Amino acid sequence: MSNAHSAPRRPIVPRLIHVLSIPIIVFWVLVAVGLGLLAPSLDAVADKHSVSLAPQNSPAFHGMMNIGHVFKQFDSDSTAMVVLEGQDKLGDSAHRFYNQIVTKLHADRGHVENVQDFWSDPLTAAGSQSPDGKAAYVQVFLVGAQGTGPSKKSVAAVRNIVASVPSPPGVKAYVAGNTVLNADVSVAGHKSLQLMALVSIGVILAMLLIVYRSVVTAILALVIVGIELFAAQGITATAGNLNIIGLTPYAVSMVTMLTIAAGTDYVIFLLGRYQEARSAGQDREDAFYTAYHGVSHVILGSGLTIAGACMCLTMCTLPYFNSMGLPCAIALLVVVAAALTLAPAILAVGSRFGLLDAKRELSTRGWRKVGTAVVRWPVPIIVVTMAIAIIGFVSLLTYVPQYNDEKFTPTDMPANVAMTAAERHFSQARMNPELLMLEADHDLRNPADMLVIDRVAKSVFHLHGIERVQTITRPLGAPIEHSSIPFQIAMQNSGTLQTAKIQNDNTAQMLEQADELSKTIANMEHMYQIMKQLTATTHNIVAQTHDIVDTTNELRDHIADFDDFFRPIRSYFYWDKHCFDIPSCWALRSIFDTLDGIDELADQLQVMTGSLDRLDQLMPQILATLPPTIASMKTMRDFMVSTHSTMAGIQAHQQELAQGSTLMGNYFDEAKNDDSFYLPPEVFKNPDFKRGLKMFVSPDGKAIRFIITHQGDPASVAGIEHVAGIKQTVADAVKGTPLENAKVSLAGTASLYSDMQNGVKVDLLIACIASMILIFAIMLLITRSVVAALVIVSTVAASLGTACGLSVLLWQDILGLGVQWIVIPLSIVILLAVGSDYNLLVVSRLKEEIHAGLNTGIIRGMGATGRVVTAAGLVFAFTMMSMIVSDLRVVGQLGMTIGIGLLVDTLIVRSFMTPSIAAALGRWFWWPLNTFKIVKRGGPEPASDANTAPISQPAMV
């Protein structure tokens, strides 16, 4: 029988519950059933009112939105990739297939904001086509924030469009991307939730049957948990349907599993204390009040601790955390309310029929032996438990977070099938690039700003881990062909090489001209000799002509004398008109005519003599002119030969220089060297370049966009490290240039995860500090001991560190699967909330047994709570571990990590660490409580208790 100090108290709350048990049960059944019928299911609400998991306050998110706004292309973070894959190289039929899809995507303005069509343009086609030519993709910006209902509808619409276009033989189209993956994760999460709930119910049923050895007790416990689950889900769904809270797949999973596990724990606490009181000889009503009095404050403290810790998540910035806070807190408050009303009411009703009594004698001998060992050797036990904790903490040091969600989702999920197809031809970095934008206050479409833009691209490209940078100065990742200064210099000399043959031929003709001139000089010299002879001959002819003239004149005079003598006879011949008929007359007349011609001959000779005299004067002059002419021609020949030599040398030198600069330009082009980039003004009038401007330069020309491709997976720790220095590199590159004051926006997978990584550190610090302060305050209110509250908080911290380390050891180091980045932070917060339950129950029971002495109280408290707390801890742990059946590995890892933490907390911290610390500290563990007064009031320890003696270490001073 119970003694005086343990007589049941009859406060008003348990008395009302005992009296109004039936109405309370009916009320909760109506709440659960009514909400189930009137309110939409939690899954449906989560699908309709889901919130985006993107950190909308992060620089990367703002950068993405700013880029979309400036380029007037999109205003959400939802994107998808339509990937075409062919068995052979994509041909004309694939292009027609692609064009039909793109046309339909452009037409669907209700779900598609922008289509970045690079493959249709020959200028940029290589940028969206795989190196093997068997795949190409188009990026689509969708309506709705990523993870929300509109975004999921947009993903479905794009899939329908792709499916509606008949594909040519050997070509398939897939829809891939993070937004698509998130939509499929939501579907997979909802499907897995039912399986997780069934498995967890099965686990709980099996554990309850093992613990209570009673089907009725197990079923009644499950009924209580089921009503609590439906009520918690209904109230949470109603709050979500009224837009009071937002929901995510992670929040829905945690609401369900925490509700089941916590509700089961509280039922086990209540039934365990009830059966303990019954085994101590109390009647059923007294046992009811003893049980309620013994665990109600523990349930309330535990529930408020979990709910409060969840509420602390609302102070976080990342949606992964703050979206989980309110739903879990609301669900836990409902569970606490039901555990403090519904469970006692069912206990009151069931106890009247003896349904919940223990089916076998409850033995505390085993746990009392553990308590005895703890109080005998507290320090060695502390050392051993700390060694186990150190193993976990050491394993935690090897933790490398994984950010690639594909690794933690089913491989047969449509999004993963699509991404696998894409990765057969494209790297993960190619499919998840970074976007960088420079926004200036003036038009950038000029040669000077292009120099700075290429300098920025070059600086970013030279960062460690960056594979390629695409922008207007390098649309395919390498500098524009022939855009180097050496090549442009070579182009200026290209005319020299192009006309080299003509110039060389013309120069060679100068030698031919010199040869011809030599021939002319030889002819002239020969002519000179002839002219000398001709001049001399002419002079002789002139002299002889003068002699002829003199002779002729003398002959004429003699003939004149003859004519004068025969004139009368002559007259007869001219007067007779018949003379021509008389031969002798005509003959004599002809003689006289001939004599008259002598006069004419003399006159002609006289005239000719004048001309010959003039010729005789000119010929010497001509002859005198020939030697200088010949000399001049010789001089010209020498000059021509000399000019040929000079011109040939100059031309050879110019051609050699032109050849050298041409080779240098070609080598710069071949080397893709970007140290001497320059775009001349005429390039901006080129139609191809204008098309490139539309892709990389904003419509107003004041912003430029860069596409940055990583080396390796951007969704990794290495990828996050790659983006760390991009903004600073850009700032250094534009320092002292016209773009010095340009605004820099950076967005993409790695930059977003980088911001999330920083957010996790801040959020985890905020959540942990707030949760620890809250837990400490609640523990302090319940235990009234500062040291005990500090020990509980400290052991919880040690427990969660050990659990996280062991989870890393399991998933990362042993299985080699890695740990998804959200698992450890969420596990820490959840374990902070739930990890204090069992310590609180044990410490509360130790406080109740202080009157028997500190060490004896520890032994009794351990014996009384060992079975109940162990059962509750194992049920909670295995319930959380049942999340491993989820199709989402991240959910399974989260459940396993929390389950490992609960096992550590149940089997190590609660069983050994906390009691051994209490035994080692003695009365200081209860400071500022006065344990002397409590022990004195409670009386001496019973001598018959064999498990309390001998005690090697005194409990009181």
Side-chain angles (χ1 to χ4, degrees):
M1 297 294 292
S2 58
N3 50 28
H5 71 266
S6 60
R9 298 161 56 186
R10 302 295 171 89
I12 187 171
V13 174
R15 188 165 66 249
L16 287 174
I17 293 174
H18 194 272
V19 172
L20 303 175
S21 56
I22 300 299
I24 292 174
I25 295 172
V26 172
F27 168 78
W28 279 105
V29 171
L30 290 176
V31 169
V33 175
L35 289 176
L37 295 175
L38 300 177
S41 67
L42 187 61
D43 285 350
V45 174
D47 188 58
K48 183 178 180 181
H49 297 275
S50 58
V51 297
S52 173
L53 292 176
Q56 299 186 3
N57 293 325
S58 68
F61 185 86
H62 288 165
M64 176 66 77
M65 295 301 98
N66 188 41
I67 292 172
H69 173 73
V70 170
F71 278 80
K72 295 179 173 55
Q73 293 180 341
F74 55 88
D75 58 7
S76 78
D77 63 333
S78 294
T79 62
M81 295 282 191
V82 178
V83 181
L84 268 65
E85 183 187 29
Q87 295 177 355
D88 299 313
K89 289 188 176 181
L90 299 178
D92 294 338
S93 61
H95 270 281
R96 289 191 294 271
F97 177 50
Y98 171 88
N99 291 335
Q100 292 178 27
I101 293 175
V102 170
T103 300
K104 286 194 172 184
L105 290 174
H106 278 298
D108 188 3
R109 306 307 302 171
H111 299 101
V112 177
E113 291 187 338
N114 181 257
V115 180
Q116 286 194 343
D117 179 15
F118 289 152
W119 201 42
S120 297
D121 192 335
L123 180 67
T124 56
S128 61
Q129 181 171 300
S130 63
D132 59 8
K134 295 182 179 180
Y137 67 87
V138 56
Q139 186 172 22
V140 185
F141 290 90
L142 306 177
V143 173
Q146 189 171 154
T148 61
S151 175
K152 296 173 185 176
K153 291 180 181 178
S154 298
V155 170
V158 172
R159 281 175 164 164
N160 291 335
I161 288 174
V162 172
S164 67
V165 180
S167 61
V171 178
K172 289 185 178 181
Y174 303 90
V175 181
N178 288 333
T179 303
V180 182
L181 181 65
N182 286 338
D184 288 351
V185 164
S186 178
V187 174
H190 293 328
K191 289 182 178 178
S192 299
L193 187 60
Q194 297 176 358
L195 178 61
M196 287 191 301
L198 289 175
V199 172
S200 62
I201 294 297
V203 169
I204 291 172
L205 180 60
M207 294 294 296
L208 292 177
L209 288 174
I210 294 172
V211 171
Y212 297 116
R213 307 291 177 90
S214 169
V215 175
V216 175
T217 303
I219 291 176
L220 285 176
L222 282 181
V223 169
I224 296 172
V225 174
I227 295 174
E228 291 175 348
L229 175 62
F230 286 119
Q233 285 186 335
I235 292 174
T236 305
T238 302
N241 197 41
L242 296 175
N243 289 322
I244 299 174
I245 60 174
L247 294 169
T248 65
Y250 301 105
V252 172
S253 298
M254 290 309 301
V255 164
T256 301
M257 302 311 292
L258 281 179
T259 299
I260 294 173
T264 306
D265 261 14
Y266 299 153
V267 170
I268 291 175
F269 287 173
L270 185 64
L271 293 180
R273 192 60 185 270
Y274 172 79
Q275 291 182 354
E276 179 189 350
R278 289 286 291 145
S279 66
Q282 294 184 4
D283 59 30
R284 292 167 181 167
E285 184 176 353
D286 289 342
F288 168 83
Y289 287 106
T290 300
Y292 194 89
H293 171 73
V295 300
S296 60
H297 63 290
V298 175
I299 293 174
L300 181 62
S302 169
L304 291 179
T305 300
I306 299 175
C310 291
M311 287 295 294
C312 291
L313 291 175
T314 60
M315 296 186 291
C316 299
T317 58
L318 292 182
Y320 285 90
F321 298 140
N322 57 37
S323 64
M324 192 178 292
L326 278 176
C328 290
I330 291 173
L332 262 297
L333 290 176
V334 173
V335 170
V336 170
L340 293 176
T341 55
L342 173 65
I346 292 178
L347 174 62
V349 174
S351 63
R352 294 169 187 170
F353 303 97
L355 299 177
L356 299 174
D357 289 348
K359 303 303 178 184
R360 57 192 175 91
E361 183 182 355
L362 301 180
S363 173
T364 61
R365 182 175 297 275
W367 283 106
R368 286 203 170 200
K369 288 181 178 180
V370 173
T372 302
V374 164
V375 297
R376 278 183 174 174
W377 305 291
V379 175
I381 291 176
I382 292 175
V383 172
V384 172
T385 54
M386 290 302 295
I388 297 174
I390 289 173
I391 294 174
F393 278 97
V394 170
S395 300
L396 191 59
L397 296 177
T398 65
Y399 170 56
V400 178
Q402 299 293 319
Y403 295 91
N404 193 336
D405 292 337
E406 297 172 44
K407 299 178 181 178
F408 302 92
T409 50
T411 56
D412 59 350
M413 204 162 60
N416 284 340
V417 172
M419 188 58 70
T420 300
E423 290 175 356
R424 284 196 287 266
H425 307 278
F426 301 100
S427 66
Q428 290 180 334
R430 186 84 172 270
M431 301 299 291
N432 296 284
E434 303 297 311
L435 292 180
L436 172 68
M437 185 181 73
L438 281 181
E439 189 177 359
D441 56 0
H442 62 275
D443 198 323
L444 302 175
R445 292 169 288 192
N446 60 80
D449 286 325
M450 288 296 156
L451 289 172
V452 182
I453 289 168
D454 194 69
R455 180 181 178 183
V456 171
K458 178 176 63 176
S459 299
V460 174
F461 174 67
H462 290 164
L463 285 175
H464 173 71
I466 302 300
E467 182 180 83
R468 183 171 66 174
V469 177
Q470 295 172 262
T471 187
I472 183 59
T473 62
R474 45 181 75 205
L476 298 180
I480 296 177
E481 191 175 12
H482 309 328
S483 62
S484 65
I485 293 176
F487 188 88
Q488 294 180 43
I489 294 174
M491 289 296 294
Q492 294 176 358
N493 292 326
S494 61
T496 302
L497 294 178
Q498 291 172 356
T499 61
K501 186 177 185 306
I502 298 173
Q503 291 178 348
N504 292 340
D505 291 345
N506 287 338
T507 303
Q509 287 178 353
M510 293 180 70
L511 288 178
E512 296 178 4
Q513 292 175 1
D515 292 339
E516 293 298 323
L517 196 57
S518 296
K519 294 178 182 180
T520 303
I521 291 171
N523 291 334
M524 290 294 292
E525 288 177 341
H526 181 64
M527 185 183 297
Y528 174 68
Q529 296 300 324
I530 295 174
M531 285 297 295
K532 286 173 64 177
Q533 298 177 14
L534 181 61
T535 300
T537 303
T538 301
H539 184 70
N540 290 335
I541 291 172
V542 170
Q544 292 174 1
T545 302
H546 278 285
D547 291 342
I548 292 172
V549 169
D550 293 341
T551 302
T552 303
N553 288 334
E554 184 178 356
L555 177 61
R556 184 190 61 186
D557 292 340
H558 290 302
I559 292 173
D561 291 340
F562 173 80
D563 183 69
D564 289 339
F565 181 74
F566 286 97
R567 187 171 300 275
I569 298 172
R570 177 181 178 181
S571 298
Y572 170 78
F573 295 127
Y574 286 97
W575 291 338
D576 190 356
K577 58 183 179 182
H578 299 288
C579 185
F580 66 85
D581 292 328
I582 303 170
S584 59
C585 182
W586 185 253
L588 290 174
R589 182 178 175 177
S590 297
I591 291 172
F592 282 108
D593 288 339
T594 300
L595 293 175
D596 289 339
I598 294 298
D599 290 337
E600 293 179 5
L601 177 62
D603 292 338
Q604 292 294 330
L605 287 175
Q606 190 64 41
V607 174
M608 185 181 67
T609 302
S611 297
L612 289 174
D613 288 341
R614 181 60 182 165
L615 179 62
D616 191 36
Q617 293 174 359
L618 293 176
M619 288 298 289
Q621 295 178 16
I622 293 175
L623 185 64
T625 304
L626 286 177
T629 301
I630 293 172
S632 177
M633 292 180 71
K634 289 181 178 180
T635 303
M636 289 174 59
R637 180 191 62 187
D638 295 339
F639 282 160
M640 190 170 293
V641 173
S642 176
T643 301
H644 168 268
S645 300
T646 303
M647 289 298 295
I650 291 174
Q651 288 177 1
H653 182 63
Q654 289 178 341
Q655 292 165 16
E656 184 179 351
L657 291 176
Q659 184 67 29
S661 63
T662 301
L663 289 175
M664 179 179 65
N666 290 333
Y667 291 150
F668 264 80
D669 258 24
E670 292 174 5
K672 306 298 182 184
N673 190 292
D674 55 4
D675 291 335
S676 52
F677 173 84
Y678 175 68
L679 285 181
E682 57 268 19
V683 171
F684 293 85
K685 300 178 182 178
N686 184 286
D688 291 339
F689 190 77
K690 288 181 178 179
R691 295 206 311 273
L693 286 173
K694 293 180 181 179
M695 296 176 183
F696 293 102
V697 181
S698 62
D700 61 3
K702 294 182 179 181
I704 189 77
R705 178 164 53 188
F706 303 77
I707 301 175
I708 303 171
T709 304
H710 293 260
Q711 289 177 337
D713 186 2
S716 64
V717 174
I720 292 174
E721 292 174 352
H722 295 165
V723 301
I726 288 181
K727 284 191 174 182
Q728 185 58 48
T729 299
V730 173
D732 292 340
V734 300
K735 188 185 301 181
T737 70
L739 302 183
E740 185 172 17
N741 296 321
K743 180 181 177 181
V744 180
S745 298
L746 181 64
T749 300
S751 54
L752 184 65
Y753 278 126
S754 177
D755 292 341
M756 292 171 68
Q757 186 183 63
N758 296 331
V760 165
K761 295 176 182 176
V762 175
D763 287 354
L764 197 57
L765 186 63
I766 293 173
C768 287
I769 292 176
S771 299
M772 286 186 175
I773 292 174
L774 177 66
I775 293 170
F776 175 77
I778 294 175
M779 298 302 107
L780 182 61
L781 288 174
I782 294 176
T783 63
R784 305 298 177 89
S785 169
V786 175
V787 177
L790 284 174
V791 168
I792 292 174
V793 174
S794 301
T795 53
V796 168
S799 173
L800 66 89
T802 305
C804 292
L806 294 177
S807 180
V808 170
L809 180 65
L810 172 66
W811 292 104
Q812 176 180 288
D813 301 328
I814 297 177
L815 298 179
L817 300 176
V819 181
Q820 217 267 0
W821 69 274
I822 196 65
V823 170
I824 298 300
L826 272 181
S827 299
I828 289 175
V829 175
I830 300 300
L831 284 173
L832 270 175
V834 304
S836 58
D837 286 10
Y838 312 123
N839 276 336
L840 176 59
L841 183 63
V842 170
V843 171
S844 297
R845 191 54 184 269
L846 295 182
K847 181 183 175 184
E848 290 182 23
E849 301 293 344
I850 290 178
H851 64 273
L854 295 182
N855 285 345
T856 302
I858 291 174
I859 296 171
R860 288 182 176 180
M862 291 285 292
T865 61
R867 173 176 170 273
V868 174
V869 173
T870 301
L874 292 178
V875 168
F876 205 151
F878 289 126
T879 300
M880 299 308 295
M881 286 182 174
S882 63
M883 294 170 69
I884 195 68
V885 301
S886 172
D887 290 337
L888 304 179
R889 187 182 298 165
V890 60
V891 175
Q893 288 187 343
L894 182 61
M896 284 295 294
T897 304
I898 296 174
I900 292 171
L902 292 170
L903 289 178
V904 171
D905 191 66
T906 302
L907 302 178
I908 297 175
V909 174
R910 187 272 313 174
S911 301
F912 296 99
M913 184 179 287
T914 300
S916 61
I917 293 175
L921 292 177
R923 65 185 180 86
W924 294 107
F925 181 79
W926 301 104
W927 185 86
L929 290 178
N930 191 336
T931 56
F932 292 107
K933 291 183 178 179
I934 297 175
V935 172
K936 184 177 181 181
R937 185 172 62 247
E941 297 179 23
S944 61
D945 192 346
N947 287 326
T948 64
I951 302 300
S952 60
Q953 181 173 338
M956 296 183 294
V957 178

